[in-house]
Amino acid sequence: MAIDDPVRGSTDTPEASAAPEKRSTWSALRPLVLRLHFYAGILIAPLLLVAAASGLLYALSFQAEKIVYSHELTTDVGERKIPLDAQVAAARKAHPEGTVTAVWPSAEDGATTRVLMSSPEVEEGKSLAVFVDPYTAGIRGELPSYGSSGALPLRTWTDELHRDLHLGDLGRNYSELAASWLWVVALGGLLLWIGRKRASKRALLVPERGAEGRRRTLSWHGSVGLWAVAGLVLLSATGLTWSKYAGENIGAVQDQLGGATPVVSATLDGAAAGGGEHEGHGDGGHGGAHQGADIGIDNAVAAAAGVGVEGRISVILPAEGSGYVVKETDTTFPVHLDSVAIDPADARIMDELRFADHPLLAKLTRFGIDAHMGVLFGLVNQLVLAALMVALIMLIVWGYRMWWQRRPTRDRRSAAGDDAGTPSGSLRFGRPVPRGAWRRVPVTAMMPLTAVTVLVGWFVPMLGISLLVFLAVDIALGLVARARRRSPAA
């Protein structure tokens, strides 16, 4: 495989004189990148394939949810909507064993109101969502609800499959390992593809016409990967933000940079409330039931609307020592995510928090996570996620196909004199770039590369640990191969 670009232009210019050094550095680095790309593709690709397939199901589950749960989510449009207090009372009557923690009022004509309850009927970490007809207060159904986006059982199942394979904390290691390597594989593949020698620029962007065999597979693998690389790196970065190990490091850095997500203060004594929300933490109360005077949920919503917090909202009911919290929940860009805390005794505005006042890093984090979850741009976001997952699946399939197409065939072995000790016609797969590529990397490039690798491996532990495992396996295989060459049988 050619690795150097042709020399272009006059050699008497500074740019031209610097070109050989750049080509030499890349020529030394390329085998190292190719070997890493090979090992990651062989050993990590199965995890990426599982993540891509489950991610595809998750992206499609948003629209499937609307179909499967249409009875609970929608109702016939009536003449007028009855007060929210009456709707909540109907939900309480239907499920007296539950405690109402939050209410999602009907945001559009024909949509039901969702009353969220903590209830023994659902497992810990989820809420019981009671769907109430806003025109009649009739109960349309009840379903477990999960997370701040209100995922219902179908989407919850696909989300858990994608996140941990339904294996709990143990399964989260799979998704973190896949996310840790996705950006490495994607960027490594980008470098290899851009660094190839080609007849035309068109072959960089689109599959090569008339190519056959491995060349054709590589053309599709490289050109599709080029178009998908930005999205794949974004998915990797945002996925790591709520991973177990790398997520803690990312959160610590974000806090140090002043990018923590602020939260409206709802405590009645005016003390600051702490904590933020990610997917997996739904709306809930702050403690025991509120015992004092209560203006009612309708007045709380009216007070919030008076300061511009309206539209698609979530209302967290007051608990002991806290007031109402009314939050906008429209995550579709441009987002509407303002929130306000209201005193349950007199409808006084205790605190306001505008999304425009969030730190820039907190905004970017929110946008990235919402894009990863498929809620930032609605249906378009979900279709883009589905396309990225299909692209990743095909990239993995093409990668394995190239590995198979590079295997030594009978004709190739015969032409090369056959390998000693290898039975004729035995099944063999394509081999990686030979070991020792790092020895040809200039010290000026190897030292910063090593430092960056150690730093990234520490910051993203699953990447660092697996990289050490790769290195140990590679060294062991090298020692075994050397011993075989030295043995009398060889």
Side-chain angles (χ1 to χ4, degrees), residues 211-221 397-409 412 428-431:
E212 296 181 355
R214 183 177 179 276
R215 185 183 182 92
R216 181 175 184 271
T217 307
L218 176 61
S219 179
W220 278 93
H221 182 84
V397 171
W398 286 324
Y400 277 115
R401 179 168 175 75
M402 283 191 294
W403 184 40
W404 173 258
Q405 289 173 324
R406 221 180 101 209
R407 74 194 188 282
T409 62
R412 291 175 188 168
R428 297 178 62 207
F429 298 98
R431 292 174 292 182

Side-chain angles (χ1 to χ4, degrees), residues 116-448:
L116 299 178
M117 293 182 166
S118 59
S119 171
E121 296 183 30
V122 294
E123 60 186 280
E124 185 178 358
K126 295 182 174 66
S127 298
L128 179 67
V130 182
F131 298 88
V132 183
D133 188 325
Y135 306 100
T136 66
I139 304 301
R140 300 285 292 177
E142 50 277 313
L143 293 167
S145 175
Y146 171 72
S148 57
S149 67
L152 298 179
L154 175 62
R155 184 151 57 95
T156 299
W157 188 90
T158 58
D159 176 48
E160 292 175 348
L161 176 68
H162 179 65
R163 186 176 66 252
D164 59 22
L165 300 177
H166 295 280
L167 297 176
D169 288 339
L170 178 64
R172 290 183 65 185
N173 294 328
Y174 119 82
S175 59
E176 183 166 356
L177 188 60
S180 298
W181 275 96
L182 178 56
W183 68 274
V184 178
V185 175
L187 293 180
L190 177 65
L191 290 175
L192 293 170
W193 183 242
I194 292 177
R196 280 181 58 84
K197 185 178 179 180
R198 51 181 53 83
S200 66
K201 293 182 179 179
R202 183 182 185 278
L204 175 70
L205 302 175
V206 296
E208 187 177 352
R209 294 178 180 175
E212 296 181 355
R214 183 177 179 276
R215 185 183 182 92
R216 181 175 184 271
T217 307
L218 176 61
S219 179
W220 278 93
H221 182 84
S223 56
V224 172
L226 178 69
W227 288 102
V229 65
L232 295 179
V233 171
L234 177 63
L235 287 177
S236 175
T238 53
L240 286 174
T241 58
W242 63 76
S243 62
K244 183 175 181 180
Y245 303 108
E248 292 181 358
N249 292 334
I250 293 173
V253 170
Q254 185 177 353
D255 291 345
Q256 289 293 326
L257 295 176
T261 301
V263 179
V264 66
S265 174
T267 51
L268 294 178
D269 58 4
E277 286 192 26
H278 288 285
E279 183 69 0
H281 300 279
D283 294 318
H286 305 284
H290 175 65
Q291 301 296 329
D294 192 344
I295 58 174
I297 188 172
D298 291 284
N299 289 326
V301 170
V307 292
V309 178
E310 54 188 346
R312 190 178 297 274
I313 60 173
S314 167
V315 184
I316 300 177
L317 270 61
E320 185 62 33
S322 67
Y324 283 97
V325 175
V326 182
K327 304 185 298 182
E328 294 176 339
T329 59
D330 185 3
T331 55
T332 304
F333 195 85
V335 301
H336 297 90
L337 298 172
D338 297 341
S339 57
V340 60
I342 301 167
D343 192 319
D346 55 12
R348 176 177 57 88
I349 302 299
M350 298 192 298
D351 190 23
E352 295 182 50
L353 179 61
R354 305 294 173 176
F355 185 72
D357 296 329
H358 284 209
L360 177 60
L361 187 55
K363 291 179 182 178
L364 294 177
T365 301
R366 179 64 191 247
F367 291 149
I369 290 177
D370 285 351
H372 189 115
M373 291 168 53
V375 298
L376 183 58
F377 298 106
L379 179 59
V380 173
N381 195 164
Q382 295 148 27
L383 292 176
V384 169
L385 285 179
L388 278 174
M389 293 303 95
V390 171
L392 181 55
I393 291 171
M394 294 309 302
L395 288 171
I396 295 170
V397 171
W398 286 324
Y400 277 115
R401 179 168 175 75
M402 283 191 294
W403 184 40
W404 173 258
Q405 289 173 324
R406 221 180 101 209
R407 74 194 188 282
T409 62
R410 184 190 298 270
D411 293 340
R412 291 175 188 168
R413 290 197 304 273
S414 297
D418 229 338
D419 290 337
T422 302
S424 179
S426 63
L427 181 63
R428 297 178 62 207
F429 298 98
R431 292 174 292 182
V433 174
R435 296 179 184 86
W438 63 272
R439 298 190 187 97
R440 293 188 291 274
V441 179
V443 176
T444 54
M446 194 64 190
M447 291 182 65

Side-chain angles (χ1 to χ4, degrees), residues 9 16 39 67 77 108-109 145 239 318 352 361 366:
Y39 266 118
I67 298 173
V77 179
E108 55 191 24
D109 293 339
S145 175
E352 295 182 50
L361 187 55
R366 179 64 191 247

